[in-house]
Amino acid sequence: MNRIKQLFETKQKDILSIYFTAGFPRLNDTSDIIRELEKNGIDLIEIGIPFSDPMADGPTIQESGTIALRNGMTLNVLFDQLKDIRKDVKIPLIMMGYLNPIMQYGFENFCKKCKETGIDGAIIPDLPFNDYINEYKPVTEKYDVKVIMLITPETSDERIRLIDEHTDGFIYMVSSAATTGAQKSFDEKKQDYFRRINGMDLRNPRLIGFGISNKATLDAAQANASGAIIGSKFITLLKESANIKEAVKALKETLSK
């Protein structure tokens, strides 16, 4: 069974997913970050593929991507770094990146390499849903790569139900229509959005991301979905901390108070 499916069958609430940019802060940090996060109880990891034009990302993740590219990170390098990751890492791993570098690599080649490496899913924010259904879904199913679609407060109920019908990993519930970045709290407008989606009785589990940076936003996300995704906050801690262990320790402390 795909590890994403397995996770959500065994744990329905309080799932914590962490995003980081591959190749940041140093080129060869990728596998060490993954292992340290798993050792500290993280349920799922999103490995960011750096790209030169990250339109959905805020300044923190943009900067990390720029540094990663400057360090020499590419998809070829990333897959090589991950070739032995399944010797000891058991939790689900997802690639997150824009369509351009994936298409340059070759979409089927990308899915095939994900399968060989032990990557369980992909989040591609600029992949149009209709293109996914008409062109790419058969390829992803061939290699058992779960494509995770994003929804925002502006996504129509009709589109959300289509996404729910045609995907079977989880739904990435973006907390706002803005770019990524830390927030101190979720306002009433966002709470209304959470309640609207909760009322739709979707079959897929949901994780809430964008803006989660402290215990208040983590608790709000976990109360309104199966769990939460943290990205920008962890990237900042990786930048500010002396090493990976210190960054993960600081993350745990931030989320506990």
Side-chain angles (χ1 to χ4, degrees):
M1 181 189 291
N2 183 285
R3 295 177 193 86
I4 298 170
K5 294 280 289 181
Q6 194 170 28
L7 170 63
F8 284 97
E9 286 190 6
T10 56
K11 187 174 183 179
Q12 283 78 44
K13 293 294 291 182
D14 297 337
I15 289 171
L16 182 56
S17 176
I18 301 295
Y19 167 95
F20 73 95
T21 304
F24 174 87
R26 293 165 295 272
L27 178 63
N28 294 314
D29 282 341
T30 307
S31 57
D32 290 339
I33 291 172
I34 291 170
R35 290 185 172 98
E36 190 64 25
L37 287 170
E38 182 184 51
K39 190 163 63 176
N40 282 272
I42 300 306
D43 300 296
L44 186 152
I45 296 173
E46 297 169 19
I47 305 162
I49 305 165
F51 180 48
S52 56
D53 186 24
M55 59 184 180
D57 294 320
T60 300
I61 294 179
Q62 283 190 25
E63 182 190 26
S64 70
T66 299
I67 292 170
L69 291 171
R70 194 180 301 141
N71 287 344
M73 179 52 69
T74 66
L75 266 175
N76 278 319
V77 171
L78 179 54
F79 279 125
D80 188 60
Q81 290 178 347
L82 296 173
K83 65 179 184 293
D84 295 323
I85 201 71
R86 286 304 179 191
K87 288 183 177 179
D88 54 338
V89 171
K90 308 301 182 189
I91 63 174
L93 301 175
I94 294 175
M95 290 282 205
M96 184 169 185
Y98 293 89
L99 192 57
N100 185 288
I102 293 172
M103 293 302 291
Q104 288 185 16
Y105 191 84
F107 193 86
E108 182 155 4
N109 286 339
F110 173 78
C111 292
K112 183 172 183 284
K113 203 67 176 177
C114 284
K115 178 72 171 179
E116 292 172 356
T117 310
I119 300 299
D120 306 289
I123 301 170
I124 310 172
D126 58 340
L127 173 61
F129 181 66
N130 290 339
D131 289 358
Y132 163 68
I133 294 298
N134 296 325
E135 298 178 44
Y136 300 115
K137 188 178 180 184
V139 180
T140 63
E141 290 180 339
K142 177 180 176 181
Y143 296 101
D144 194 26
V145 176
K146 303 296 183 188
V147 172
I148 310 304
M149 288 288 170
L150 285 72
I151 64 172
T152 76
E154 277 68 45
T155 307
S156 69
D157 287 6
E158 180 185 16
R159 176 52 62 94
I160 291 169
R161 293 202 183 279
L162 276 173
I163 289 171
D164 191 45
E165 179 184 350
H166 291 285
T167 62
D168 65 346
F170 65 91
I171 292 174
Y172 190 130
M173 193 171 161
V174 177
S175 67
S176 71
T179 57
T180 58
Q183 300 175 36
K184 291 184 177 179
S185 63
F186 291 134
D187 59 25
E188 189 59 30
K189 186 176 180 181
K190 291 186 180 68
Q191 298 284 352
D192 285 342
Y193 162 54
F194 297 159
R195 286 190 283 266
R196 173 170 74 91
I197 303 303
N198 281 332
M200 293 183 69
D201 195 28
L202 302 175
R203 69 182 182 89
N204 273 302
R206 304 177 311 283
L207 296 181
I208 297 175
F210 285 44
I212 297 166
S213 62
N214 55 25
K215 190 175 189 301
T217 47
L218 175 65
D219 287 350
Q222 291 185 331
N224 286 281
S226 294
I229 300 164
I230 294 175
S232 296
K233 185 63 180 180
F234 184 55
I235 297 284
T236 298
L237 293 171
L238 282 172
K239 178 182 176 182
E240 294 175 347
S241 302
N243 54 54
I244 294 165
K245 285 188 176 182
E246 287 300 315
V248 175
K249 180 183 177 184
L251 178 69
K252 292 176 70 177
E253 290 173 355
T254 298
L255 299 179
S256 66
K257 58 185 180 182

